């Protein structure tokens, strides 16, 4: 079973970085301030074959300045020869949290976790699997740049009575952000996915993602990003491009 990715989001920055954890700027260490909400909306993500189109949304709330809960979902139109869950499908529903565990000056460490229901909507709404995620992010954020390393473990278990399946996988990688000025910034990440037990992924993946973002003001931004699994060919694993809108309110 292939993993479903919700490529929602990519990342922006505005104003001072070292103390801007609660400013929505797409920084890997962003959390909304206590009592505030955020929304990351991806109205369109499409692949380079122009046969798969995704819409995704993530909505979160700051329980405190350092602890955030979120809900996310995505839907797809897939006109490839063998779409996994039909041409039109509601892909998943996710619940999770992010905890800013420790930070001192420019150094930050956080943990996060979520659970995702994966659906098959070809005939009726049916849960086909659950994906459980736990990870940690550690790095440095300055006024000009951010670098964060990530270690993440995923567990996937089937929810179909006729097809018992489970698998474990791990992701390690790095995220980066460079602030050009108060309006523009560049972002990028490189993630390596590999199996721990059973075939979780369709082979190993080395996912490269780059983006450019523009801040409308301190609480709103728009970003454009592109991503590619560089291990596999474009035919086997097409590139994707998308746009994201972020708001803190």
């Amino acid at each position: 079973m292939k993993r479903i990715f919700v490529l929602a989001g990519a990342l922006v920055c505005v104003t001072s970085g070292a103390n801007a954890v609660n400013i929505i700027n797409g920084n890997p260490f962003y959390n909304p301030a206590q009592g505030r909400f955020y929304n990351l909306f991806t109205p369109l993500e499409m692949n380079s074959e122009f046969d798969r189109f995704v819409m995704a949304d993530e909505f979160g709330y700051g329980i405190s300045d350092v602890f955030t809960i979120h809900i996310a979902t995505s839907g797809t139109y897939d006109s490839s020869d063998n779409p996994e869950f039909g041409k039109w499908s509601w892909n998943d529903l996710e619940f999770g949290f992010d905890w800013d565990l420790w930070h001192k000056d420019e150094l930050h460490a956080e943990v996060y976790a979520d659970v995702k229901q994966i659906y098959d909507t070809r005939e009726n709404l049916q849960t086909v699997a659950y994906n459980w995620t736990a990870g940690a992010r550690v790095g440095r954020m300055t006024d000009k740049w951010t670098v964060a390393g990530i270690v993440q473990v995923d567990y996937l278990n089937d929810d179909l009575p006729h097809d018992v399946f489970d698998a474990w996988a791990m992701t390690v990688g790095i995220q980066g952000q460079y602030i050009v000025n108060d309006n523009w910034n560049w972002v990028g990440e490189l993630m390596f996915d590999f199996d721990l037990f059973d075939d979780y992924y369709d082979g190993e993946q080395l996912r490269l993602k780059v983006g450019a973002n523009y801040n409308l003001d301190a609480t709103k931004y728009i970003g454009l990003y592109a991503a590619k699994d560089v291990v596999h060919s474009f035919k086997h694993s097409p590139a994707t491009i998308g746009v994201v809108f972020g708001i803190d309110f």
Side-chain angles (χ1 to χ4, degrees):
M1 178 177 293
K2 299 178 181 177
R3 186 182 182 184
I4 296 179
F5 294 97
V6 181
L7 296 176
L11 309 100
V12 340
C13 188
V14 59
T15 64
S16 60
N19 298 308
V21 177
N22 297 122
I23 298 175
I24 190 165
N25 54 19
N27 191 282
F29 294 109
Y30 163 74
N31 282 303
Q34 182 176 358
R36 292 187 65 85
F37 297 89
Y38 76 87
N39 185 244
L40 293 173
F41 177 52
T42 303
L44 177 64
E45 178 187 282
M46 60 185 178
N47 67 13
S48 53
E49 298 293 320
F50 301 103
D51 60 8
R52 181 176 171 84
F53 302 87
V54 178
M55 179 183 292
D57 199 22
E58 179 180 325
F59 185 80
Y61 175 72
I63 301 296
S64 70
D65 286 349
V66 298
F67 190 83
T68 302
I69 58 174
H70 75 265
I71 181 172
T73 189
S74 70
T76 299
Y77 174 76
D78 188 343
S79 61
S80 63
D81 292 338
N82 187 28
E84 191 170 6
F85 297 121
K87 287 190 174 182
W88 292 98
S89 66
W90 180 21
N91 294 340
D92 46 54
L93 183 64
E94 174 185 299
F95 298 91
F97 73 86
D98 190 298
W99 183 13
D100 185 359
L101 194 63
W102 176 84
H103 62 265
K104 182 178 181 181
D105 299 326
E106 297 177 348
L107 303 178
H108 294 262
E110 65 181 23
V111 293
Y112 59 91
D114 59 65
V115 56
K116 180 188 297 181
Q117 280 187 310
I118 300 173
Y119 302 129
D120 179 357
T121 56
R122 283 173 293 192
E123 297 179 2
N124 300 303
L125 178 60
Q126 182 181 28
T127 302
V128 296
Y130 288 88
N131 189 90
W132 307 80
T133 298
R137 183 181 290 107
V138 179
R140 182 179 180 186
M141 180 171 63
T142 74
D143 291 339
K144 200 68 177 176
W145 53 266
T146 295
V147 174
I150 291 179
V151 177
Q152 176 178 304
V153 176
D154 284 273
Y155 171 66
L156 183 74
N157 66 292
D158 222 318
D159 195 47
L160 296 175
H162 59 276
D163 185 19
V164 178
F165 173 88
D166 65 348
W168 291 83
M170 178 171 280
T171 297
V172 295
I174 188 169
Q175 294 177 316
Q177 179 185 58
Y178 178 74
I179 304 169
V180 178
N181 54 44
D182 287 347
N183 296 113
W184 290 97
N185 72 94
W186 300 98
V187 291
E189 65 180 43
L190 186 65
M191 300 291 176
F192 179 51
D193 305 322
F194 55 95
D195 299 321
L196 293 177
F197 175 74
D198 216 329
D199 294 329
Y200 185 93
Y201 298 104
D202 187 18
E204 295 179 343
Q205 299 182 84
L206 183 62
R207 297 180 284 114
L208 175 65
K209 186 176 182 178
V210 295
N213 305 281
Y214 180 80
N215 279 92
L216 304 173
D217 57 40
T219 61
K220 304 179 190 69
Y221 77 90
I222 180 173
L224 180 68
Y225 62 91
K228 178 71 176 75
D229 169 18
V230 298
V231 172
H232 300 99
S233 67
F234 276 87
K235 183 177 181 180
H236 181 82
S237 178
T240 58
I241 58 174
V243 61
V244 59
F245 297 94
I247 184 170
D248 182 303
F249 57 98

